Amino acid sequence: MLGIVRQKMLEQSLKKIRPAVSVLRSYSSAAKQMTVREALNSALDEEMSADSKVFLMGEEVGEYQGAYKITKGLLDKYGPERVLDTPITEAGFTGIAVGAAYYGVKPVVEFMTFNFSMQAIDHIINSAAKTNYMSSGRISVPIVFRGPNGAAAGVGAQHSQCYAAWYASCPGLKVLAPYSSEDARGLLKAGIRDPDPVVFLENELLYGESFPVSDEVLDSSFCLPIGKAKIERKGKDVTIAAYSKMVGYALKAAETLEKDGIDAEVINLRSIRPLDRSTINASVRKTNRLVTVEEAFPQHGVGAEICASIVEESFAYLDAPVERIAGADVPMPYAANLERMAVPQVEDIVRAAKRTCYRSVS
Amino acid sequence: MNSASCAAKISTQPFSLNPTSPASHDRPLVSPKPASLFLGSTRKLRLSSSSKLNLHRRSGTVVAVSDVVKQKKSKSTHSLLITKEEGLELYEDMILGRAFEDMCAQMYYRGKMFGFVHLYNGQEAVSTGFIKLLKQQDSVVSTYRDHVHALSKGVPARAVMSELFGKTTGCCRGQGGSMHMFSREHNLLGGFAFIGEGIPVATGAAFTSKYKREVLKEADCDHVTLAFFGDGTCNNGQFFECLNMAALWKLPIVFVVENNLWAIGMSHLRATSDPQIYKKGPAFGMPGIHVDGMDVLKVREVAKEAIGRARRGEGPTLVECETYRFRGHSLADPDELRDPAEKAHYAARDPITALKKYLIENSLASEADLKAIDKKIDEVVEDAVEFADESPVPSQSQLLENVFADPKGFGIGPDGRYRCEDPKFTEGTAHV
């Protein structure tokens, strides 16, 4: 059965290589629509039913059905021993989950937003990420930290930071950032099965968005590889690399650019650590131009790392300097118009791509 | 009952015994003295131990064991607390801890050991008193002062010494070091450099014991966890968070506070609004006990009760052990702030000397028996040093190993195997 799944996935990928007009929405057979929220919920449900060592822990995950309703229905199904409502003690309950993971149970810790993970970051980095190394392989930590990351709408500076770069700089962690429902399901299942600590960065604004999913994705053993990016749209003129919500913006930008005769290749990073350098480099060697897009602060960010990787490995192939699109270098403002200016928009990506193609100086 | 007589002693004792100096711990219990004489003036504290012992009020349902024991010891005819075998086992463990730490100091000054090394001299009664009551499956979580906890738990002296030397035969193959002792086999979960970090981890280990029993249906899983930490940690937020959750979920854990009065150079009294740590237990719904941590037998009695409670599923306990470290905070600490009189006072209460006296007075062992143990331990420690000296340093390839449990870090596929082993995964396309 699994062999058939793999074969079907291969066929699926072959189908995607054929050019499609409206990129994301119309490929493949029997497309059912699924929101990212449903994808995450079903992934958690399936993993919890497959392995009784998996349990959930976090604020409001039980009776409230999840602060963003991601864990809806799981308390009723699995009971309070496996879906634990915690007091407001990030440092405490994260540490408890890590200690439990030392003993082989598989906690999935929810942070109401990743901003709150800063209260628990000592445990994520020092007790979870570094332990397999410090104990020289004797104690592994099969834990998943998940929750919404990055900007939402009008939530202000302390609720809007993106933590991808911070966590991805730490060896011992795997950092995943899904975009579509397929990504959400596949990567969360992969993360839960993984024997290492995984930081799973979701996006609040994507929870309600619907994506088509094929039967393979709906299968309960569906899993995506950690560390492999996905080429959402093939192109030949410029590579646009993005993760999470910015993938959607990049795809819209690609549509706009197509009208101006620029054929953009959009890469959905999916995995920030390990970063899929080979895919990005292969793509840049083909197109010779790169735009990186992220919502986070620009300094020391994911875009900076990708740029460094390209310069180290594919410098001779670049025809134009790398363009980095990132959030504004300010704490997130509250006013709606300022907020819009502090986060990349589709026009910014289009302009950046045109700059790399020397079609524009602005 | 005991508490009534204690209460009577509480208000009178300090006046009669300490005429020349202001009160120590019992600040809230006596008429107010000017605060300036007391705060930061560590010279005046820690006087005769008897006044200290009678001051604490017991909380929760646990009997005031340490007072009971104290009174028992003063009578001439009483049942012994330990058998000869147990006595020798306790003695051997404490001597091992002491000899090992002294050897660590020597090795450090000879350059064989490096970095941060925190020694446990003087506190052996706590480690031995608690850990020798555990089974192998029970867990111990400690701080950076973890060498002796590792030894008491059963990690061979050779493995600990090699780890300190940074050799590949160490318990963590040289990758952890002094502050990060881990042993899967002996259920020693570290070794944490950040104080307070080990407490939630220990609570998690206790959580797993309960989870295994209730969800995974391993009905006989009654593993207990001990969390060791110091007085400074008791002001940290994580400590309180875990007291709350452990009591809330009735986890099988014992929180052992090794109150040695000093957090590097910060006196416990200068840092804490209410220095009586055991009182923080009842605030969260668990018993809080204070015990003389320089007396291994008293510690053992209290530990039996607390570990028994946890094993029976009655929930957590907070045990405050009044103890002292004879050396500085670490080998790099010049230890200038502590009053020599205080150090002398506690040196006179050396737990090893006390146990030795007890064993000999009660005819449980002879001088010759104890000398034989001393000699044996000396040999064990010397052998550990030789072994560590001769062991190889880690090879270069070990640098990049074990960052992930999953060898190349790419996750597990739907067939349950590592993705990186799947040839298709590493082929050109980025699609699934």
Side-chain angles (χ1 to χ4, degrees):
Chain A
M1 200 253 155
L2 294 165
I4 296 172
V5 170
R6 204 185 296 170
Q7 202 187 356
K8 274 194 181 164
M9 297 202 296
L10 201 55
E11 281 173 43
Q12 172 100 7
S13 60
L14 287 170
K15 277 188 198 154
K16 283 181 196 155
I17 288 170
R18 285 186 220 123
V21 174
S22 168
V23 183
L24 189 58
R25 302 281 183 252
S26 71
Y27 54 49
S28 98
S29 51
K32 182 185 170 242
Q33 293 284 334
M34 190 186 228
T35 59
V36 172
R37 183 177 281 119
E38 284 163 16
L40 293 167
N41 186 284
S42 60
L44 286 170
D45 194 354
E46 284 162 21
E47 291 303 305
M48 285 182 80
S49 80
D51 185 351
S52 57
K53 294 207 212 80
V54 178
F55 69 95
L56 303 184
M57 201 179 220
E59 291 157 10
E60 310 296 359
V61 294
E63 291 187 10
Y64 197 77
Q65 310 297 325
Y68 295 100
K69 308 298 182 231
I70 305 295
T71 52
K72 188 167 178 186
L74 297 177
L75 174 67
D76 287 330
K77 203 165 170 190
Y78 297 103
E81 294 108 17
R82 290 184 69 192
V83 179
L84 289 133
D85 276 325
T86 61
I88 308 175
T89 48
E90 272 76 15
F93 70 71
T94 307
I96 288 181
V98 172
Y102 282 10
Y103 273 109
V105 288
K106 297 183 181 185
V108 178
V109 177
E110 172 171 315
F111 290 116
M112 206 179 276
T113 81
F114 260 93
N115 298 276
F116 304 158
S117 75
M118 289 200 288
Q119 298 211 325
I121 201 168
D122 171 38
H123 282 291
I124 300 176
I125 309 288
N126 278 328
S127 322
K130 295 183 184 170
T131 296
N132 197 59
Y133 190 80
M134 286 198 295
S135 71
S136 193
R138 284 163 177 81
I139 297 185
S140 77
V141 192
I143 192 171
V144 175
F145 305 101
R146 52 159 291 271
N149 175 57
V155 291
Q158 293 186 351
H159 283 73
S160 307
Q161 189 166 338
C162 173
Y163 291 86
W166 282 24
Y167 288 121
S169 73
C170 184
L173 278 183
K174 294 179 184 169
V175 181
L176 303 176
Y179 162 61
S180 62
S181 306
E182 176 185 329
D183 292 352
R185 257 182 76 83
L187 292 175
L188 184 56
K189 280 156 123 13
I192 293 175
R193 293 179 199 189
D194 197 277
D196 289 307
V198 172
V199 171
F200 192 78
L201 304 170
E202 303 158 3
N203 188 295
E204 195 213 323
L205 299 173
L206 285 178
Y207 282 153
E209 261 196 57
S210 236
F211 295 88
V213 285
S214 59
D215 290 334
E216 292 77 45
V217 175
L218 294 172
D219 186 86
S220 67
S221 62
F222 175 67
C223 234
L224 286 176
I226 294 177
K228 274 301 213 174
K230 179 180 179 193
I231 298 182
E232 293 279 354
R233 179 191 197 279
K234 282 216 149 219
K236 56 180 178 26
D237 291 330
V238 59
T239 301
I240 306 178
Y243 63 92
S244 190
K245 189 146 141 286
M246 293 291 118
V247 175
Y249 283 30
L251 288 167
K252 288 205 198 94
E255 283 172 35
T256 313
L257 287 166
E258 209 184 347
K259 297 193 193 93
D260 289 327
I262 298 177
D263 189 18
E265 176 151 296
V266 175
I267 301 183
N268 173 1
L269 291 174
R270 279 183 173 172
S271 170
I272 316 291
R273 182 183 257 269
L275 191 60
D276 193 353
R277 294 168 210 274
S278 51
T279 302
I280 306 171
N281 275 283
S283 172
V284 170
R285 287 177 185 214
K286 185 176 69 170
T287 63
N288 309 124
R289 297 160 210 278
L290 175 64
V291 176
T292 67
V293 189
E294 59 193 306
E295 239 184 352
F297 300 139
Q299 190 165 342
H300 307 302
V302 176
E305 177 63 29
I306 295 176
C307 186
S309 172
I310 299 296
V311 164
E312 283 164 12
E313 291 174 37
S314 312
F315 184 66
Y317 292 83
L318 279 174
D319 284 348
V322 175
E323 288 277 345
R324 243 189 332 171
I325 302 291
D329 200 14
V330 296
M332 184 69 69
Y334 170 67
N337 63 326
L338 291 180
E339 194 182 27
R340 217 173 308 119
M341 288 198 286
V343 175
Q345 303 297 333
V346 179
E347 306 79 58
D348 299 316
I349 306 174
V350 170
R351 274 206 306 274
K354 285 189 177 163
R355 281 199 299 269
T356 60
C357 295
Y358 298 127
R359 302 287 189 86
S360 154
V361 291
S362 67
Chain B
M1 235 230 76
N2 276 338
S3 43
S5 57
C6 276
K9 283 179 195 156
I10 286 167
S11 45
T12 58
Q13 197 75 300
F15 289 111
S16 51
L17 282 188
N18 316 325
T20 53
S21 39
S24 54
H25 275 18
D26 48 304
R27 217 182 344 134
L29 303 169
V30 303
S31 61
K33 299 261 181 198
S36 54
L37 276 175
F38 165 67
L39 284 172
S41 140
T42 56
R43 292 162 193 282
K44 304 297 191 303
L45 42 79
R46 290 290 159 184
L47 298 152
S48 51
S49 55
S50 54
S51 66
K52 176 91 189 48
L53 272 176
N54 292 324
L55 291 175
H56 34 262
R57 285 162 285 159
R58 289 292 170 268
S59 30
T61 53
V62 181
V63 171
V65 179
S66 55
D67 273 350
V68 169
V69 170
K70 181 177 174 248
Q71 279 159 25
K72 265 189 180 171
K73 278 176 74 173
S74 59
K75 294 186 198 140
S76 50
T77 53
H78 56 279
S79 56
L80 292 172
L81 290 163
I82 47 172
T83 63
K84 176 176 178 170
E85 290 76 35
E86 285 170 357
L88 291 177
E89 188 195 359
L90 296 178
Y91 183 78
E92 185 171 332
D93 194 51
M94 292 208 288
I95 287 284
L96 174 62
R98 182 67 62 89
F100 191 91
E101 297 292 70
D102 284 338
M103 184 59 81
C104 281
Q106 265 194 56
M107 292 297 117
Y108 187 84
Y109 293 126
R110 282 196 210 166
K112 301 259 180 86
M113 229 178 264
F114 34 88
F116 287 132
V117 180
H118 307 84
L119 299 182
Y120 201 74
N121 297 49
Q123 299 180 198
E124 294 88 0
V126 180
S127 174
T128 301
F130 269 94
I131 300 181
K132 283 304 174 198
L133 290 169
L134 295 179
K135 305 188 292 201
Q136 187 166 8
Q137 300 93 342
D138 294 327
S139 339
V140 166
V141 178
S142 177
T143 58
Y144 43 74
R145 208 178 293 283
D146 58 351
H147 307 166
V148 180
H149 295 138
L151 294 170
S152 292
K153 194 66 174 58
V155 181
R158 281 182 160 194
V160 181
M161 192 61 87
S162 301
E163 183 62 29
L164 293 170
F165 281 32
K167 299 293 176 83
T168 199
T169 46
C171 55
C172 298
R173 299 202 299 157
Q175 288 180 231
S178 165
M179 301 187 284
H180 305 293
M181 298 276 168
F182 289 89
S183 168
R184 163 68 76 217
E185 190 195 349
H186 299 281
N187 290 303
L188 175 72
L189 299 181
F192 287 98
F194 279 48
I195 61 152
E197 193 180 346
I199 306 176
V201 172
T203 314
F207 177 87
T208 308
S209 168
K210 188 163 181 257
Y211 189 85
K212 280 187 182 163
R213 198 174 51 236
E214 290 176 3
V215 179
L216 300 178
K217 308 294 178 211
E218 292 171 27
D220 52 354
C221 182
D222 62 351
H223 306 329
V224 165
T225 306
L226 297 185
F228 289 94
F229 47 95
D231 44 284
T233 313
C234 296
N235 296 326
N236 190 273
Q238 292 181 80
F239 169 60
F240 299 108
E241 292 182 15
C242 289
L243 285 183
N244 179 40
M245 285 191 273
L248 182 68
W249 294 330
K250 278 202 145 159
L251 300 180
I253 183 172
V254 183
F255 296 102
V256 184
V257 184
E258 294 169 325
N259 183 355
N260 58 19
L261 292 181
W262 290 89
I264 307 188
M266 187 67 165
S267 142
H268 176 54
L269 299 158
R270 280 181 67 210
T272 317
S273 56
D274 184 348
Q276 293 170 302
I277 300 171
Y278 69 91
K279 290 202 289 191
K280 298 178 183 177
F284 290 94
M286 69 178 82
I289 311 175
H290 179 283
V291 67
D292 177 3
M294 303 305 268
D295 184 331
V296 68
L297 298 173
K298 286 185 191 161
V299 171
R300 195 177 150 89
E301 288 303 303
V302 167
K304 259 192 214 159
E305 178 67 42
I307 294 173
R309 245 180 71 85
R311 240 189 254 295
R312 288 189 299 268
E314 291 165 27
T317 315
L318 176 67
V319 181
E320 179 186 355
C321 302
E322 181 197 327
T323 181
Y324 201 76
R325 52 171 162 82
F326 295 156
R327 291 182 182 264
H329 164 73
S330 72
L331 288 174
D333 175 19
D335 196 17
E336 289 160 344
L337 288 173
R338 300 196 297 175
D339 185 9
E342 182 188 76
K343 291 191 217 178
H345 169 73
Y346 278 97
R349 291 168 58 190
D350 187 332
I352 293 179
T353 333
L355 181 66
K356 196 168 174 180
K357 189 156 169 273
Y358 182 87
L359 291 173
I360 291 179
E361 274 176 8
N362 293 289
S363 310
L364 285 171
S366 64
E367 281 268 4
D369 289 335
L370 300 178
K371 279 230 164 14
I373 292 180
D374 290 346
K375 189 159 176 299
K376 174 178 158 206
I377 293 297
D378 276 338
E379 280 166 22
V380 166
V381 173
E382 296 255 355
D383 167 72
V385 172
E386 258 182 56
F387 176 77
D389 255 336
E390 286 160 16
S391 299
V393 289
S395 60
Q396 262 201 333
S397 62
Q398 202 181 304
L399 178 68
L400 299 177
E401 279 173 9
N402 295 128
V403 177
F404 285 135
D406 159 13
K408 297 257 173 60
F410 292 105
I412 295 182
D415 54 359
R417 292 192 359 244
Y418 291 129
R419 287 254 169 206
C420 53
E421 289 167 12
D422 172 7
K424 288 253 182 305
F425 172 72
T426 49
E427 266 169 23
T429 177
H431 297 285
V432 171

